[in-house]
Amino acid sequence: MSSAEQNLKSYAPPLWSVALVGNPNCGKTALFNLLTGARQKVANYAGVTVERKAGQARLRDGRLVSVIDLPGAYSLTPATPDEQVTLEFIEGRRAGEAAPDAIVAVVDATNLRMNLRLVLELKRLGRPMLVALNMADVAREQGLVIDVAKLSAELGCAVVETVAVKHDGHLRLLAQLETQLATASSTPAAELHAVSAAPAQLQQEVRRILAAAVVQPARFQRFHHRIDTWVMHPVWGLAILAAVLFLIFQAVFSWANLPMDAIKAGMAGLGEWVTAHMAEGPLRSLLVDGVLAGAGGVLVFLPQILILFFFILLLEDSGYLPRAAFLLDRLMGTVGLSGRAFIPLLSSFACAIPGIMATRTIANWRDRLATIMVAPLMTCSARLPVYALLIGAFVPERSVGWFNLRGLTLFGLYVAGVVSAMAVAWLFKRLWMKSRYQPLMLELPPYRVPGLRNLVLGLAERARIFLRRVGGIIFALMVVLWFLSSYPAPPEGATGPAIQYSIAGWLGQALQHVFAPIGFNWQISIALVPGLAAREVAVGALGTVYALSAAGEGLADSLTPVIAQGWSLATAYSLLAWYVFAPQCISTLAVVKRETNSWRYPLLMAAYLFVLAYAAAFVTYRVTLWLGG
Ligand SMILES: Nc1nc2c(ncn2[C@@H]2O[C@H](COP(=O)(O)OP(=O)(O)OP(=O)(O)O)[C@@H](O)[C@H]2O)c(=O)[nH]1
Ligand SMILES: [Mg+2]
């Protein structure tokens, strides 16, 4: 054992730590995932990571190293809140956190001209450093010849090639970390190159290094230029975008039938089995009416959610998204949103929480706030079960020309969310905070064939999150709701279903006064209460409430036919309209509080969304009734 190692042993914890620093979209997170086995989000556009994440990597000799993934930064002069995180962290200025022991500067080997500037800036900090020359595979394909030894000599630190999308693409980096760790305690801070921070001089230095260490291929015609003439065309581009989104919603309905039927049949079978094998009593009712009808009713929507995410992941990894942002920039500019808002808003289709966090890539505070305020109007995946349930019950399975009518309706609901977000943003900027339109500056990544590994991991992650919600918060709320719906038990000689005499029944009747004008019955009114915590709970809650209100015999084995018979079309449409707007997600409000650092904005958000929801449901209900619904 070397003396250096003994030295390290003697001050064992905290672990030796390295931070991954580099330009946006150079593959830091992909590398982080490889090194630590984490599953952080990787996607082909700038600004995916907005928070620092820590993990541990095991070196080949068994020692552990702490690895920190950071948001990408173009330079050490931060322009946006996410870049700020990076700078503060590597300088050790974040409260309660020590600066990393070494920096791994991750660079995109195919874009050294831009990436090396940051490396030179990092170098000036004088900290132990090594360079991971990532995307070595793509560089080789492009015919780029990089003399690693020369580059290392020029930069004055170790340089290793990595391929963050291959399972063994990080081995050289691991080996280098091991070497560096062995000498860590004996190495003084790296010697400083006399490089000035002035941008022009940095650029000159980069050019000099490139000339010495890199042989550019003779004219490389990027194939994405040819695709872009179509995809970014002002007319064809929009048509392609509309077609892509449209196809996704078609697929959500037409592909999901088979697996959904299978899950439904499984749940129904399980319910029958429990009913047959358990004595009648509260426990059986809890299992069948509470858990299976409630949480099981939500589980059915797993296939649709996975299909939606399959497409979102494909789009994210292909490099298409920033291009769509450019296409829509003008449109978004007219309502006062920045083109940079596109990706946060698109992420909000999955869930408003990462969407709101992604607004950290927007430098202008007013633009950022406007984006945060409208993010919950994007249809998050938790609304999908509610939409799907109501559409399944009220919209006939029919095709209109080439299209599936249900898919069409779903598409319409998503469009309603987007259009109202635009309208609210417009009003918001008009009434409250004017800021001038700023043209969009966004890096266009090269197109990439989406990696299977990333896709599979991403889907597994979504499934895990959904199942955890079903098994966690949804399950817990269902049990509470079952309890509230079953007790107190009905008095002797009561005739109606037991739930009418319970606490929940009583609550539902009271709330119905508020909701009657928009056409909600007492069952819906009850379901909205636990649905406040998380949207899809409302579906489970309806399952439980209806299972318990079907007195005795007619146990609702599936919710769809029950509501198809019991509700008017006007009620169903009104509930859909309510769901397009209502702020039924406590976690979203909590994140808004955190990101804006004040209670003012989440409260304002909740208020305006409730008013909007009530108004929209009211109008929808009245108009549908008037039309004879
Ligand atoms: N072919 C190839 N693709 C890579 C490699 N490393 C990363 N990618 C892809 O590059 C894209 C960006 O990867 P990320 O890991 O999200 O990049 P990042 O540096 O964390 O980006 P930000 O978080 O936005 O700063 C993804 O589409 C990855 O699949 C590589 O070595 N080779
Ligand atoms: Mg990242």
Side-chain angles (χ1 to χ4, degrees):
M1 189 182 282
S2 74
S3 67
E5 269 172 282
Q6 266 163 350
N7 260 344
L8 270 167
K9 285 269 158 63
S10 59
Y11 69 99
L15 288 182
W16 199 67
S17 67
V18 296
L20 302 177
V21 187
N23 282 19
N25 209 34
C26 66
K28 297 175 296 299
T29 305
L31 208 51
F32 174 78
N33 286 349
L34 261 190
L35 287 168
T36 63
R39 291 182 192 169
Q40 291 302 321
K41 180 166 167 178
V42 169
N44 189 10
Y45 56 83
V48 180
T49 308
V50 292
E51 274 192 313
R52 54 156 292 247
K53 293 278 179 215
Q56 291 187 347
R58 189 174 288 281
L59 301 181
R60 286 172 312 174
D61 62 7
R63 278 180 302 180
L64 287 173
V65 169
S66 148
V67 183
I68 296 106
D69 182 27
L70 290 164
Y74 288 105
S75 76
L76 289 185
T77 337
T80 56
D82 60 324
E83 283 188 344
Q84 185 83 33
V85 170
T86 300
L87 184 68
E88 282 176 6
F89 183 78
I90 51 185
E91 292 191 336
R93 282 195 281 123
R94 282 178 80 81
E97 284 177 304
D101 297 310
I103 294 173
V104 175
V106 184
V107 298
D108 173 353
T110 64
N111 196 2
L112 287 177
R113 194 173 295 278
M114 177 135 131
N115 282 228
L116 282 186
R117 268 186 25 198
L118 180 66
V119 175
L120 292 181
E121 280 191 90
L122 287 170
K123 199 83 199 80
R124 285 172 49 82
L125 297 177
R127 310 285 304 284
M129 185 167 118
L130 69 148
V131 171
L133 197 57
N134 195 36
M135 310 229 183
D137 56 334
V138 191
R140 216 163 297 138
E141 258 166 47
Q142 294 185 356
L144 213 60
V145 183
I146 302 173
D147 186 335
V148 175
K150 261 229 184 87
L151 190 60
S152 164
E154 287 290 341
L155 291 172
C157 66
V159 176
V160 286
E161 291 192 334
T162 57
V163 180
V165 288
K166 263 184 35 197
H167 67 99
D168 59 355
H170 63 309
L171 293 185
R172 286 187 191 168
L173 177 58
L174 273 186
Q176 183 58 37
L177 283 176
E178 210 167 332
T179 320
Q180 213 114 329
L181 178 53
T183 51
S185 49
S186 57
T187 318
E191 88 222 58
L192 274 176
H193 263 262
V195 182
S196 131
Q201 259 164 312
L202 275 180
Q203 201 53 46
Q204 206 176 0
E205 175 72 1
V206 167
R207 238 176 280 140
R208 195 187 62 71
I209 296 177
L210 285 182
V214 180
V215 183
Q216 300 280 353
R219 271 194 94 75
F220 173 75
Q221 176 61 44
R222 284 173 181 235
F223 107 114
H224 66 241
H225 284 324
R226 260 175 296 151
I227 301 185
D228 278 347
T229 50
W230 288 94
V231 166
M232 308 225 355
H233 187 276
V235 177
W236 294 122
L238 284 177
I240 292 174
L241 177 63
V244 166
L245 294 179
F246 193 78
L247 276 179
I248 295 177
F249 295 112
Q250 290 290 309
V252 165
F253 266 95
S254 40
W255 296 6
N257 281 340
L258 219 66
M260 283 179 78
D261 285 345
I263 299 179
K264 264 186 224 161
M267 285 294 154
L270 206 60
E272 274 165 32
W273 187 86
V274 173
T275 314
H277 285 79
M278 271 178 81
E280 169 139 31
L283 189 62
R284 186 176 97 178
S285 168
L286 173 65
L287 274 180
V288 176
D289 304 329
V291 176
L292 287 176
V298 183
L299 190 65
V300 169
F301 296 97
L302 179 64
Q304 288 185 324
I305 286 178
L306 289 186
I307 292 172
L308 182 67
F309 276 104
F310 171 76
F311 285 104
I312 291 185
L313 287 170
L314 277 190
L315 285 183
E316 281 181 346
D317 226 14
S318 66
Y320 178 64
L321 293 187
R323 291 171 167 86
F326 266 108
L327 274 178
L328 295 179
D329 181 45
R330 275 277 196 71
L331 206 67
M332 298 185 44
T334 50
V335 302
L337 284 172
S338 122
R340 279 207 175 255
F342 177 77
I343 287 173
L345 291 182
L346 196 98
S347 315
S348 305
F349 277 129
C351 171
I353 293 168
I356 286 168
M357 284 173 51
T359 62
R360 291 183 189 179
T361 56
I362 303 175
N364 181 307
W365 162 243
R366 294 173 166 194
D367 287 346
R368 185 171 170 217
L369 191 61
T371 312
I372 291 179
M373 291 309 262
V374 300
L377 286 172
M378 298 289 132
T379 305
C380 69
S381 57
R383 283 171 174 111
L384 197 57
V386 184
Y387 287 174
L389 176 76
L390 295 179
I391 291 175
F394 289 95
V395 178
E397 173 79 72
R398 234 192 12 224
S399 355
V400 184
W402 288 1
F403 308 119
N404 172 316
L405 187 59
R406 291 179 170 174
L408 216 57
T409 312
L410 187 67
F411 185 61
L413 285 167
Y414 274 76
V415 171
V418 173
V419 170
S420 45
M422 298 296 129
V424 169
W426 183 80
L427 264 182
F428 189 71
K429 280 294 192 75
R430 255 302 139 93
L431 298 180
W432 201 10
M433 35 173 61
K434 298 202 173 68
S435 72
R436 287 250 306 274
Y437 168 72
Q438 290 162 328
L440 178 64
M441 297 276 282
L442 203 63
E443 198 182 339
L444 285 190
Y447 285 108
R448 282 204 185 96
V449 179
L452 191 63
R453 190 188 141 88
N454 194 21
L455 195 65
V456 171
L457 280 182
L459 279 183
E461 187 65 9
R462 289 324 300 194
R464 198 179 62 85
I465 292 173
F466 182 74
L467 293 178
R468 226 184 37 199
R469 273 173 79 85
V470 171
I473 179 166
I474 295 179
F475 175 84
L477 284 169
M478 283 310 111
V479 171
V480 172
L481 184 71
W482 173 85
F483 190 82
L484 293 180
S485 313
S486 307
Y487 297 98
E492 284 292 319
T495 48
I499 190 172
Q500 278 184 2
Y501 306 93
S502 68
I503 304 178
W506 173 82
L507 197 68
Q509 320 275 1
L511 277 176
Q512 209 200 343
H513 295 300
V514 182
F515 289 118
I518 58 175
F520 294 179
N521 58 24
W522 63 269
Q523 286 99 334
I524 302 178
S525 304
I526 297 179
L528 285 184
V529 177
L532 273 181
R535 290 185 175 89
E536 61 275 59
V537 169
V539 170
L542 281 174
T544 297
V545 170
Y546 272 105
L548 289 167
S549 29
E553 296 299 296
L555 190 84
D557 65 333
S558 164
L559 202 49
T560 315
V562 180
I563 62 175
Q565 284 161 20
W567 297 5
S568 70
L569 190 62
T571 293
Y573 279 6
S574 167
L575 187 58
L576 281 176
W578 171 268
Y579 259 90
V580 171
F581 300 105
Q584 307 214 69
C585 177
I586 295 198
S587 345
T588 300
L589 296 175
V591 166
V592 174
K593 153 85 177 55
R594 197 183 73 193
E595 296 293 308
T596 60
N597 230 333
S598 107
W599 279 108
R600 188 164 151 209
Y601 299 109
L603 290 177
L604 181 74
M605 176 185 269
Y608 102 78
L609 287 173
F610 267 129
V611 170
L612 211 57
Y614 200 91
F618 185 80
V619 171
T620 309
Y621 183 60
R622 296 292 149 182
V623 170
T624 319
L625 278 185
W626 183 65
L627 290 174

